Structure formats: C-alpha cells, structure tokens
C-alpha cells in the first residue's frame, strides 16, 4: 500500500494473446458496442492469426481487444479495436495499438491498414497512420418471404486470381476460413460471400469485373439473407458499387476512414464491390 501523500504509480496494462476461452467474452464485448461479429468470426480471426489477436483483462474480465490479420509480409490489417465502456480513458486502446504496431514492425510487414471511426482517427494519426479513402456501410431490410435456395459455388479457378489482382495481395487463407461459415456465389466474372452476423447477414467480400456481374452476386446475397437483412461495406471510390447499392434498395448507415501506415498497397479497386469487413479489409 502506498504511504500517505505518495501517489502509487499506475501499472501498465497487461496485454495477452487471446485464447479459446476469450471467444464468448469477445463476442459480448463486440455485441455491446453494436457490432455484427459472431463467435465464428472471432474464432476464425484467432485461428488465422493465433499470435496476432490481443486483449487486456481487468477485474477478471476481457475489457479491450485489437487484432492483426496478416496477408504475408506485404499487408497487415488491424481490426476489432474495442474497449468496454466502463474501462475507457485508461489508455487501453493506445496500449493495444502500440503493441500491434510493434508486433507488425517486428514481422517486417510493409503496409498496415485499418478502417477508423471519426473518434479513433486522431489516435491512429498519432501512431503514423494517414488517410487513404472513405469506407461506407450500407444496409438493406430483409424480405419478408423465405429465401429461395441458391447454388453455392466454390471459390476456385479465375476468382482466386481475380481477387489477387483486385485486392493486391493473396487472401486465399482468409477465403478458406470464410467459406466454412459463408454462402459463396462465384462465376468466371467474380464472386461474393454472405455470412451470418449478430444483427444482420454480411455481404462481402465481393469482387466482380463489372456492375452487371456484381448485381447478380448481390441479388443472390439478398435472397439468401432473407428476413435478417444485409450489411454491405463498400468503397465509394468505386462509384458503380455505391450506385448499385442505391438501385438494390440499400441505405447508407455510416462512414469510416481507411488509413494506411507504411508503403502503399492497392490493386484494382474498380473490381472491389464489397470489402471483407472492417476487421479484414
């Protein structure tokens, strides 16, 4: 115990790698923030990046998280930056982000990206991130009738090569993880994934050679989603994607800022009609 008149030095938060037992608390944390991730989403992140998912525990509870999804050494994606409302303003988010950035630098990852809210942007800028472009979330109410069965293709052939050209790095490991929980609609002109969410189904990633092909994939996603409705995150820099969202009855809900630290990393964004998620890129 500190002596009278002496202020005890505050201990630095203890950062630990997330484990299987942290999945349910992590879901509670993200759900309380109004996010859409399921236990399957958290489990996939921890399986694909077992040494890149971090948390802070306090009072016996998981109270803050941050994750790093690696796409080889070219690109790392930071996501799931969360702090429980009762534990904010204690420096937990900064401590986790500094830890993630140091981890990425130790791995010699050339480019780091993330999708930031307006509230988080100043913190990321203080760590060397700069604005790249805007990201938007769109939402569509579900249809009342039951969804029609859809053919679920396999992500193979030209689609994998298309994604490499569109996104700029190899995401094949991510797609293997996503395919275990998603409906996949694919053709020679591209593909789209649809997976369950806590609040609504999630359409993405979607890569297509043109708006006509993207329309077919997104219409299939809408039908498959059924009454739960559908989230769709897109890059408005691709004007055809935003126009298609309006035509299909989606409503714009929120705006984030995509930020980058390190070397630029991009592909053919005119082919990107839907991202994989704020935590995945």
């Amino acid at each position: 115990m500190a002596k009278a008149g002496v202020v005890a030095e505050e201990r630095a938060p203890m950062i630990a790698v997330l484990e299987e037992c942290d999945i349910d608390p992590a879901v509670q944390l993200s759900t309380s923030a109004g996010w859409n991730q399921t236990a399957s989403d958290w489990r996939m992140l921890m399986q694909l990046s077992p040494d890149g998912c971090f948390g802070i525990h306090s009072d016996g509870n998981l109270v803050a998280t941050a994750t790093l999804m690696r796409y080889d050494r070219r690109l790392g994606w930071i996501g799931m930056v969360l702090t429980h409302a009762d534990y904010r303003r204690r420096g937990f988010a900064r401590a986790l982000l500094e830890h993630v950035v140091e981890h990425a630098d130790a791995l010699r990852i050339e480019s780091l990206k993330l999708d930031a809210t307006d509230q988080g942007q100043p913190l990321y800028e203080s760590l060397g991130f700069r604005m790249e472009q805007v990201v938007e979330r769109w939402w569509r109410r579900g249809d009342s009738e039951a969804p029609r069965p859809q053919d679920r293709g396999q992500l193979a052939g030209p689609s994998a090569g298309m994604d490499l050209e569109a996104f700029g790095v190899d995401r094949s490991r991510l797609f293997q993880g996503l395919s275990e929980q998603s409906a996949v609609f694919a053709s020679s002109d591209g593909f789209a994934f649809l997976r369950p969410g806590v609040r609504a189904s999630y359409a993405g990633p979607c890569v297509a050679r043109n708006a006509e092909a993207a329309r077919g994939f997104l219409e299939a996603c809408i039908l498959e989603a059924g009454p739960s409705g559908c989230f769709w995150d897109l890059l408005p820099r691709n004007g055809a994607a935003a126009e298609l969202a309006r035509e299909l009855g989606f409503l714009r809900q929120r705006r984030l800022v995509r930020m980058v630290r390190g070397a630029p990393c991009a592909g053919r964004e005119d082919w990107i009609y839907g991202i994989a998620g704020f935590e995945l890129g």
Side-chain angles (χ1 to χ4, degrees), residues 45 66-81 97 100-101 104-105 109-117 124 127-135 165-169 171 235 237 256-269 272 275 277-281:
L45 273 168
T67 61
L68 174 68
M69 179 69 191
R70 300 196 302 275
Y71 301 107
D72 298 323
R73 281 180 52 189
R74 272 205 70 199
L75 177 65
W77 207 279
I78 296 175
M80 306 311 292
V81 181
L97 284 165
V100 169
V101 169
D105 287 346
I109 294 176
E110 298 172 6
S111 178
L112 280 178
K113 290 192 180 185
L114 53 82
D115 292 332
T117 62
Y124 301 127
L127 295 173
F129 287 85
R130 61 190 184 274
M131 179 177 176
E132 182 185 81
Q133 62 179 303
V134 171
V135 186
E165 187 172 353
F167 192 67
V169 295
R171 294 193 290 183
L235 304 174
R237 183 180 287 179
L256 279 77
V257 175
R258 178 155 292 183
M259 306 188 75
V260 60
R261 177 183 183 271
C265 181
R268 288 202 54 168
E269 292 181 346
I272 297 178
I275 70 171
F278 296 142
E279 75 277 26
L280 299 170

Side-chain angles (χ1 to χ4, degrees), residues 1-12:
M1 181 179 297
K3 295 180 180 180
V6 177
V7 178
E9 183 178 354
E10 186 175 354
R11 293 182 179 179

Side-chain angles (χ1 to χ4, degrees), residues 202-226:
Y202 185 86
C206 176
V207 170
R209 296 184 189 277
N210 51 59
E212 181 180 359
R215 176 187 290 274
F217 298 138
L218 269 299
E219 287 177 343
C221 287
I222 292 169
L223 288 172
E224 183 76 15

Side-chain angles (χ1 to χ4, degrees), residues 50-228:
D51 63 342
C53 298
F54 304 101
I56 293 175
H57 296 78
S58 182
D59 303 323
N61 301 308
L62 179 67
V63 299
T65 61
T67 61
L68 174 68
M69 179 69 191
R70 300 196 302 275
Y71 301 107
D72 298 323
R73 281 180 52 189
R74 272 205 70 199
L75 177 65
W77 207 279
I78 296 175
M80 306 311 292
V81 181
L82 282 159
T83 303
H84 190 282
D86 294 340
Y87 292 84
R88 291 173 186 163
R89 302 187 182 279
R90 300 191 189 184
F92 289 174
R94 173 173 288 277
L96 279 165
L97 284 165
E98 289 176 347
H99 185 81
V100 169
V101 169
E102 289 174 3
H103 181 61
D105 287 346
L107 294 170
R108 298 185 179 180
I109 294 176
E110 298 172 6
S111 178
L112 280 178
K113 290 192 180 185
L114 53 82
D115 292 332
T117 62
D118 291 340
Q119 295 82 3
Q121 186 173 349
L123 171 57
Y124 301 127
E125 288 175 341
S126 73
L127 295 173
F129 287 85
R130 61 190 184 274
M131 179 177 176
E132 182 185 81
Q133 62 179 303
V134 171
V135 186
E136 293 178 346
R137 166 153 290 184
W138 294 64
W139 171 80
R140 186 187 189 278
R141 188 184 305 276
D143 294 327
S144 58
E145 67 271 13
R148 296 199 303 267
Q150 299 292 316
D151 292 332
R152 298 186 179 188
Q154 295 296 318
L155 190 65
S159 293
M162 273 191 66
D163 186 72
L164 178 60
E165 187 172 353
F167 192 67
V169 295
D170 182 5
R171 294 193 290 183
S172 57
R173 289 181 61 249
L174 171 64
F175 288 169
Q176 290 173 4
L178 287 175
S179 65
E180 295 177 2
Q181 55 176 311
S182 306
V184 184
F185 308 99
S187 76
S188 59
D189 289 321
F191 61 87
F193 285 76
L194 182 82
R195 64 184 187 270
V198 171
R199 298 173 57 202
S201 296
Y202 185 86
C206 176
V207 170
R209 296 184 189 277
N210 51 59
E212 181 180 359
R215 176 187 290 274
F217 298 138
L218 269 299
E219 287 177 343
C221 287
I222 292 169
L223 288 172
E224 183 76 15
S228 70

